[in-house]
Amino acid sequence: MPQVMIELANVTKIYGRGEKRVVALDNVSLKINKGEIFGIIGLSGAGKSTLIRCMNKLEVPQAGTITIAGQEITKLKGKELRETRRKIGMIFQHFNLLSSRTVYGNIAFPLEIAGVKRSEIKERVLSLIELVGLSDKISAYPAELSGGQKQRVGIARALANNPEVLLCDEATSALDPETTKSILGLLQDVNQRFNLTIVLITHQMNVIKDICDTVAVIEDGRIVEQGPVVELFARPRTPTARRFMKSVLPTEVPAEIKERALKLDKNWPGKTVRISFIGEVAGEPVISSLIRKFQVDVNIIYANLDYIKNIPFGSLIIDLMGEGPKIEAAMQYLEDLGLKLEVLNGVEPTA
Amino acid sequence: MVWNLLLKALGETLYMVGFSLVLSAFFGIPLGIILVITEPRHIKPAPLIHKLLSTVINIGRSLPFIILLVAIIPFTRLVVGTSIGTTGAIVPLTVSAIPFVARVVESALLEIDRGVIEAAQAMGATTIQIITKVMIPEAVPGLILGLTMVAVSLIGYSAMAGAIGGGGLGDLSIRYGYQRFRGDIMFLTVVILVAIVQGLQSFGSWLAARLNRR
């Protein structure tokens, strides 16, 4: 049984009142396990930012409880709250570094606040700077750094007090794709190295796909879907989830193929079939089995393959040609393998 | 003779402006900080204190200096034991500059990126730590420019100190340059005042730019 690190129970947050009343979080419940990278994805205005800000009480929910590492943070105040916050690191979309301090000074800041001794601060800061790969920028001011370097300082700063949880508020949204990859790599590295629980919110599906173990989809202040990332990709239940998926997987069928499928006669004995697959089956010699076992001809029209957390995922469009019963048997065989089949003859394939 | 007069007046001006600048900063900076942190969505929201302080500051700012100068004579006597002379002028100069400083500090502190303050809160910083380690260091360039502005204004106000025998360059130019038709003295005091203001502003701008890391 994995240990639960963060638990939200029936959290509700409302802004304003009367006509301006906006329900930002509507009865949200979540469990986040220790050591996992938990992604929360939603469009802007869905409430994801409010959700993560409630986790360290930067926003105070009107109802519900939030427990982190056994501490009910929603109940804490004053000194207790400040001490608990030191165990919850946070990084931001716009980095929020102190412009008046150097890289060294920024990373030392949370340690100064916690009252750590000067000699210990130095040792700790130097090892953190090395961890995030900024040893040559130690005396630089934030204005002299690139976005990716600033976020590295942000990460080092967030890790200074050895937190148990790292909250990432759109941490890569202001970065270019290349830099995003390197920052995600660093997050994954610290997650594994320190068994650190990471909660990240994003509107970028590739962030979820690249590093998250578990994902929650938030829409209008509600969690509409939640589970392992691979599951979401395999079986998205909501239109929102499907839309996010589309943004990272080339599941969109090229227009030429759509047209070709539409023109096919429904009575044609051959079938154009789309096969969606996930997991091990992608490694099996399915096509050659089809040909050998059922004596059908197979013509591959379109294929794509991608990996989510090392699990292959993709779809294939083929023409099956041969005698009717043999085609039926071949399709049955594919379904028995756990593949999702869709006959495209005369229909326009949806994404 | 003329040079002695000018030198003495220059000394008086610097004495009045210097003391009242330091004193008004001493009282005005904390007021400006309180004004900012008590704002509705800031780190220590207190609408009542905010409104009250803001109103008092506005009243202070709305009094013309020449009126304030004479209106607070009893208070001046209470504080420094005299209501006349150069020392007597420091009190009204300070009193008039405090609300000015408070507003200048307010605008400098409001310039700071809220995200940085929020990051400090998320790290578990206390209110005092946020003020001393985040807000003030981040606002240093703005604070320097603001205080330079206050100093220049104080030089202007100090010219009116002559009304209570405060002396200084402004007083000299009125008494000698204007009332005794000494065009040369008028001219020289104006030149010196212009030079002081220019020098002060250049120094303030230079220092602010130098300390600006943004």
Side-chain angles (χ1 to χ4, degrees):
Chain A
M1 225 1 223
Q3 194 188 333
V4 174
M5 177 55 86
I6 303 172
E7 184 166 0
L8 277 74
N10 310 314
V11 173
T12 297
K13 171 79 190 178
I14 297 162
Y15 291 113
R17 53 179 67 183
E19 278 182 18
K20 285 184 183 165
R21 189 169 181 271
V22 176
V23 181
L25 293 177
D26 187 358
N27 213 17
V28 170
S29 296
L30 278 180
K31 273 193 183 125
I32 299 171
N33 292 328
K34 184 173 168 63
E36 77 172 332
I37 303 184
F38 191 102
I40 297 164
I41 189 161
L43 298 168
S44 55
K48 55 189 191 301
S49 200
T50 308
L51 181 60
I52 203 164
R53 290 160 55 83
C54 282
M55 291 187 190
N56 59 1
K57 223 184 169 183
L58 282 179
E59 300 280 355
V60 185
Q62 275 87 354
T65 57
I66 298 171
T67 313
I68 297 191
Q71 284 261 39
E72 199 182 317
I73 196 146
T74 30
K75 257 193 195 161
L76 299 179
K77 272 187 197 155
K79 192 162 188 269
E80 280 181 322
L81 175 63
R82 287 197 299 273
E83 272 164 15
T84 305
R85 277 175 169 170
R86 282 172 202 159
K87 288 289 163 198
I88 307 171
M90 190 170 195
I91 58 174
F92 306 86
Q93 178 175 5
H94 299 296
F95 325 117
N96 295 350
L97 302 177
L98 287 152
S99 64
S100 56
R101 286 183 177 225
T102 61
V103 168
Y104 182 97
N106 268 287
I107 303 173
F109 181 69
L111 297 162
E112 281 174 31
I113 278 177
V116 177
K117 268 189 282 167
R118 199 170 269 265
S119 56
E120 274 176 54
I121 289 181
K122 186 167 182 193
E123 203 179 305
R124 183 94 189 103
V125 172
L126 292 178
S127 81
L128 284 162
I129 289 181
E130 204 179 313
L131 174 79
V132 298
L134 286 176
S135 299
D136 55 331
K137 295 283 179 193
I138 192 163
S139 305
Y141 285 90
E144 299 157 18
L145 301 177
S146 69
Q149 289 169 333
K150 284 183 203 170
Q151 197 58 289
R152 283 170 184 274
V153 177
I155 292 171
R157 180 176 74 170
L159 296 177
N161 280 316
N162 291 309
E164 295 188 69
V165 173
L166 178 64
L167 305 176
C168 310
D169 186 355
E170 295 273 10
T172 57
S173 300
L175 304 175
D176 61 64
E178 204 54 38
T179 314
T180 296
K181 275 225 174 310
S182 84
I183 292 295
L184 293 180
L186 178 60
L187 289 176
Q188 209 163 20
D189 178 41
V190 296
N191 161 257
Q192 278 155 15
R193 211 186 278 233
F194 308 117
N195 194 27
L196 182 70
T197 309
I198 297 182
V199 183
L200 58 87
I201 63 161
T202 184
H203 63 266
Q204 300 166 308
M205 197 62 190
N206 62 323
V207 171
I208 302 285
K209 179 183 149 229
D210 286 352
I211 66 165
C212 292
D213 301 303
T214 313
V215 61
V217 180
I218 187 168
E219 195 176 13
D220 293 331
R222 286 173 217 239
I223 304 289
V224 292
E225 201 159 346
Q226 189 186 342
V229 172
V230 179
E231 281 288 306
L232 180 86
F233 276 90
R235 281 173 276 278
R237 292 190 305 268
T238 58
T240 315
R242 239 169 265 141
R243 210 163 47 234
F244 278 125
M245 265 182 50
K246 256 205 234 173
S247 67
V248 285
L249 294 177
T251 51
E252 187 72 32
V253 179
E256 289 79 4
I257 293 174
K258 283 186 183 178
E259 271 173 41
R260 182 184 179 279
L262 268 174
K263 282 181 198 151
L264 283 179
D265 185 351
K266 278 195 179 144
N267 300 318
W268 179 52
K271 294 251 187 290
T272 297
V273 178
R274 177 162 56 180
I275 307 166
S276 306
F277 55 88
I278 184 163
E280 269 90 59
V281 75
E284 285 176 24
V286 174
I287 300 294
S288 61
S289 298
L290 268 187
I291 300 168
R292 267 188 288 115
K293 284 188 188 166
F294 304 98
Q295 290 106 45
V296 291
D297 288 320
V298 177
N299 180 25
I300 297 174
I301 296 170
Y302 170 82
N304 71 65
L305 177 70
D306 204 343
Y307 284 83
I308 308 148
K309 304 247 15 159
N310 304 319
I311 294 169
F313 179 101
S315 71
L316 184 65
I317 296 177
I318 56 172
D319 279 348
L320 287 172
M321 287 165 292
E323 293 167 29
K326 286 185 175 166
I327 290 176
E328 293 299 320
M331 285 172 60
Q332 189 57 48
Y333 165 74
L334 292 172
E335 274 180 352
D336 290 347
L337 281 172
L339 298 170
K340 208 176 120 200
L341 254 61
E342 196 185 349
V343 177
L344 300 181
N345 291 29
V347 290
E348 186 179 1
T350 54
Chain B
M1 172 61 188
V2 171
W3 296 110
N4 282 345
L5 276 174
L6 282 169
L7 209 62
K8 180 167 170 287
L10 176 65
E12 285 164 349
T13 294
L14 294 180
Y15 171 79
M16 286 187 289
V17 171
F19 264 91
S20 47
L21 181 66
V22 170
L23 288 169
S24 59
F26 181 81
F27 293 105
I29 289 174
L31 288 178
I33 292 169
I34 294 169
L35 202 56
V36 169
I37 64 170
T38 54
E39 278 204 356
R41 287 188 59 79
H42 220 278
I43 57 175
K44 269 274 180 266
L48 210 69
I49 295 178
H50 181 79
K51 188 85 199 125
L52 190 76
L53 193 58
S54 185
T55 307
V56 171
I57 287 170
N58 285 345
I59 291 170
R61 298 265 288 130
S62 53
L63 282 182
F65 179 67
I66 192 79
I67 293 168
L68 182 102
L69 188 67
V70 287
I72 65 163
I73 280 177
F75 175 74
T76 305
R77 197 174 286 136
L78 188 75
V79 177
V80 291
T82 174
S83 62
I84 54 164
T86 319
T87 305
I90 289 175
V91 176
L93 280 172
T94 304
V95 169
S96 81
I98 287 173
F100 190 14
V101 172
R103 285 292 180 210
V104 154
V105 170
E106 180 193 29
S107 77
L109 294 180
L110 286 176
E111 282 287 300
I112 307 167
D113 183 3
R114 282 305 308 275
V116 180
I117 294 171
E118 205 157 65
Q121 281 179 301
M123 282 179 236
T126 62
T127 303
I128 296 292
Q129 283 170 330
I130 292 174
I131 293 168
T132 58
K133 284 177 180 285
V134 179
M135 292 172 62
I136 294 175
E138 287 290 293
V140 159
L143 288 173
I144 288 172
L145 286 178
L147 289 177
T148 304
M149 202 157 79
V150 174
V152 169
S153 294
L154 277 172
I155 291 172
Y157 288 163
S158 73
M160 290 179 235
I164 55 161
L169 289 167
D171 182 44
L172 183 74
S173 70
I174 294 285
R175 284 192 291 118
Y176 283 75
Y178 176 66
Q179 287 162 354
R180 298 189 194 179
F181 305 104
R182 286 288 299 268
D184 55 338
I185 290 186
M186 176 70 93
F187 179 74
L188 284 171
T189 52
V190 169
V191 167
I192 293 171
L193 284 169
V194 168
I196 293 176
V197 171
Q198 288 289 351
L200 198 62
Q201 189 60 56
S202 304
F203 176 73
S205 302
W206 171 80
L207 194 63
R210 213 190 123 86
L211 295 174
N212 191 357
R213 304 292 183 191
R214 270 190 247 189

